Amino acid sequence: MLDEAKRVFEAPTTYKNYIGGQFVEASDGAIITRESPAHGHVVSRYPASTRADAQAAIAAARATFDTGDWAFTYAGDRARVLREVARLIRENADELALIETLESSKPLSAAHGEVMFSAELWDYAAGAARILAGDSHNTLGDAMLGVVLREPIGVAGIITPWNFPFLILSERLPFALAAGCSTVVKPSEFTSGTALMLAHYLKEAGLPDGVCNIVSGTGDPVGQAILDSDEVDMVAFTGSTRVGRAAIAASAGNIKKLSLELGGKSPSVVFADCDLEAAVDGVIKAATINMGECCIAGSRLLVERTISGAFQDRLAGRLAELQMGDPLDPASRIGAIINRAQYDRIDALVRDGVRDGARLICGGDPENHAGLYYPPTVLGDVTPDMNVAREEIFGPVLSVMPFENVEDAIRLANASDYGLAAYVWTENLSTALRCSRRIKAGRVWVNAALAGFPELPLGGFKQSGNGRETGRYGVEEYTELKSVHLQIGPQAERWVEGA
Ligand code: NAD
């Protein structure tokens, strides 16, 4: 794989937009150049598209949707295309993983796992296309049959962030296509390579031209044009709560539907009766996966006071064994941070915490590390009101807070504007169930961290967003319901007397 990486360093890949089935440059020829954060080499060049390019993509999606060719095609045929895309993803998994790693600096093994899981999502969505169904009501009296049709919502815009570029796209795009929508995809300007590679697989798999259009560029103008457009019926936005709010404002124009997957500040809740070894490992995984640049990162550690000291000692010991370094090295668990701005933000929040009275248990001190590598960091003596306990950090930083009992743990877990995920570590079934039911989060893991399945929906409570992706709910998200009232016998009475 190192040889392939060298080849990319010597000859960075140039990508094109995919609009109406054509591979095209930005209309003014402008490009975005992406360097690998870990290596400092240029690895990719994508179109820096204009508002007009985004509008051309929207027009292509609108036109294909309105013909009805994809929307009304037999679901079995849609499923065949999606399954073929899944096959092509698996066939090209090594290359996709390499590009994902070079653009994001996530460890290569993780990138490979994400690509293979993405193929599962395409396969799952293929099956889901065929079971999508409406409803009928045969109980409305002798002369009336009610039929509830489930129809594709129309043109769906899909705007994605940089942290899991291919995976997050695959949690949305195949589901929208399964439902029969036409789509416009806007990947993050930091990591657009794999989305633009996907365009070639869509074409090869036989997806009709114009059903999926992929346009790279910055949030404004490209993402903003999608949000603003009256020709777009729905936008699935994944990213920061800040831009999510802007999406809500922009959607007012044509009252478009929004599915929002936003930020998080998820708790790992550790009870004294847990399997300690498993909990330490799971807490570390939840806090440091993808360098903590993960919406469902377990960035708050709530630990029962009786084991708090011992647990923190074990945590620091195990964290010291976690290998940080070149993401191309198979042994690396922690790669580089996505860019300087994000790196500085992580460091500023850690410094904020220390200034507010938190105790640095391990990590911090990034000056000791060359490049954009931020060491896994644990802060003790954190209180719920501190910035570091409230704000999403998007870095490998864990804030530790002790709790007294189950009710106290639930109260602390819910003391957040966010509600994306929670991790509960206990051997007691009642404790596990009480936490699962009372913690306000879209996903709860009990004695596990981050295991994912295409069958299960994902999404957030509170300011983490609304709507659900994946699972059968993920396809339904991209549909509208229509009630059809069928008069199947003589009308009992006329509206106009005597008619
Ligand atoms: P971001 O909000 O800056 O950008 C996300 C996407 O929105 C990018 O494609 C960006 O170009 C685009 N964008 C920016 N401004 C826009 C505008 N005015 N109009 C339309 N689009 C615009 O987020 P990010 O920095 O890429 O990602 C990090 C954030 O994403 C974190 O807050 C994280 O929690 C969140 N996230 C959430 C989930 C989830 O499923 N809940 C998953 C991953 C990331």
Side-chain angles (χ1 to χ4, degrees), residues 83-154:
R83 274 203 310 277
E84 178 61 8
V85 177
R87 193 190 67 73
L88 288 164
I89 291 170
R90 291 192 181 96
E91 192 174 289
N92 292 282
D94 287 348
E95 198 188 344
L96 284 162
L98 177 67
I99 298 304
E100 200 85 321
T101 287
L102 292 179
E103 292 181 355
S104 72
S105 280
K106 66 174 71 221
L108 187 58
S109 56
H112 199 270
E114 287 164 28
V115 169
M116 295 307 279
F117 184 64
S118 298
E120 289 287 304
L121 287 162
W122 283 81
D123 268 339
Y124 178 87
R130 302 184 72 157
I131 57 163
L132 197 62
D135 205 355
S136 64
H137 292 260
N138 199 22
T139 53
L140 308 180
D142 206 27
M144 181 65 74
L145 178 66
V147 177
V148 182
L149 299 178
R150 203 174 260 290
E151 298 186 349
I153 194 164

Side-chain angles (χ1 to χ4, degrees), residues 49-67:
S49 308
T50 61
R51 196 174 177 88
D53 296 327
Q55 282 163 342
I58 294 166
R62 184 80 258 163
T64 51
F65 186 79
D66 290 344
T67 64

Side-chain angles (χ1 to χ4, degrees), residues 265-268 297-302 389 398-399 401 412-416:
K265 189 76 188 175
S266 301
S268 281
S299 54
R300 291 185 294 149
L301 168 59
L302 313 182
L398 192 55
S399 296
M401 287 167 269
L412 272 175
N414 286 335
S416 169

Side-chain angles (χ1 to χ4, degrees), residues 396-438:
V397 180
L398 192 55
S399 296
V400 188
M401 287 167 269
F403 65 81
E404 309 301 334
N405 52 39
V406 181
E407 294 314 311
D408 194 31
I410 292 168
R411 183 187 59 76
L412 272 175
N414 286 335
S416 169
D417 291 338
Y418 296 114
L420 210 44
Y423 308 88
V424 180
W425 298 91
T426 177
E427 292 293 297
N428 183 309
L429 184 61
S430 324
T431 306
L433 285 175
R434 186 148 185 87
C435 288
S436 302
R437 294 173 67 181
R438 292 300 175 93

Side-chain angles (χ1 to χ4, degrees), residues 2 12 63 66 78 83 95 160 192 267 304 313 344 351 367:
L2 280 177
D66 290 344
R78 287 207 291 264
R83 274 203 310 277
E95 198 188 344
T160 56
S192 307
E304 194 160 352
D313 291 345
D344 290 344
R351 284 173 198 277
E367 287 84 11

Side-chain angles (χ1 to χ4, degrees), residues 190-426:
F190 299 110
T191 54
S192 307
T194 51
L196 295 166
M197 286 167 76
L198 177 69
H200 295 271
Y201 314 148
L202 299 176
K203 183 118 185 143
E204 192 179 334
L207 186 75
D209 292 350
V211 171
C212 178
N213 306 273
I214 305 180
V215 192
S216 63
T218 51
D220 194 3
V222 181
Q224 193 66 48
I226 295 170
L227 290 174
D228 289 341
S229 174
D230 288 353
E231 301 297 316
V232 173
D233 302 293
M234 168 181 175
V235 173
F237 171 80
T238 314
S240 59
T241 299
R242 181 185 63 81
V243 181
R245 283 206 179 86
I248 293 169
S251 71
N254 68 335
I255 321 283
K256 60 173 64 64
K257 178 177 174 178
L258 290 178
S259 161
L260 300 172
E261 308 279 348
L262 309 175
K265 189 76 188 175
S266 301
S268 281
V269 188
V270 177
F271 289 89
D273 63 17
C274 71
D275 171 342
L276 269 184
E277 275 306 304
V280 168
D281 194 64
V283 166
I284 290 178
K285 183 179 180 192
T288 63
I289 196 158
N290 210 46
M291 293 72 73
E293 295 167 331
C294 176
C295 54
I296 51 172
S299 54
R300 291 185 294 149
L301 168 59
L302 313 182
V303 54
E304 194 160 352
R305 192 180 292 281
T306 51
I307 61 159
S308 177
F311 196 85
Q312 289 175 49
D313 291 345
R314 276 188 194 229
L315 206 58
R318 292 302 297 276
L319 273 172
E321 294 165 25
L322 204 61
Q323 185 162 329
M324 178 166 79
D326 188 339
L328 294 169
D329 178 346
S332 290
R333 285 284 201 206
I334 308 254
I337 298 299
I338 191 82
N339 54 33
R340 171 60 58 185
Q342 180 61 23
Y343 186 94
D344 290 344
R345 181 181 148 74
I346 297 167
D347 197 38
L349 275 161
V350 170
R351 284 173 198 277
D352 262 11
V354 172
R355 202 196 47 230
D356 291 346
R359 180 171 51 89
L360 195 61
I361 295 173
C362 64
D365 193 20
E367 287 84 11
N368 282 339
H369 303 275
L372 289 175
Y373 292 95
Y374 201 94
T377 298
V378 181
L379 291 169
D381 301 336
V382 175
T383 53
D385 54 312
M386 289 182 191
N387 249 358
V388 75
R390 306 191 74 82
E391 286 202 26
E392 184 178 51
I393 292 188
F394 243 52
V397 180
L398 192 55
S399 296
V400 188
M401 287 167 269
F403 65 81
E404 309 301 334
N405 52 39
V406 181
E407 294 314 311
D408 194 31
I410 292 168
R411 183 187 59 76
L412 272 175
N414 286 335
S416 169
D417 291 338
Y418 296 114
L420 210 44
Y423 308 88
V424 180
W425 298 91
T426 177

Side-chain angles (χ1 to χ4, degrees), residues 25-38:
E25 294 173 358
S27 47
D28 62 4
I31 53 166
I32 291 171
T33 300
R34 178 67 181 154
E35 280 185 9
S36 163

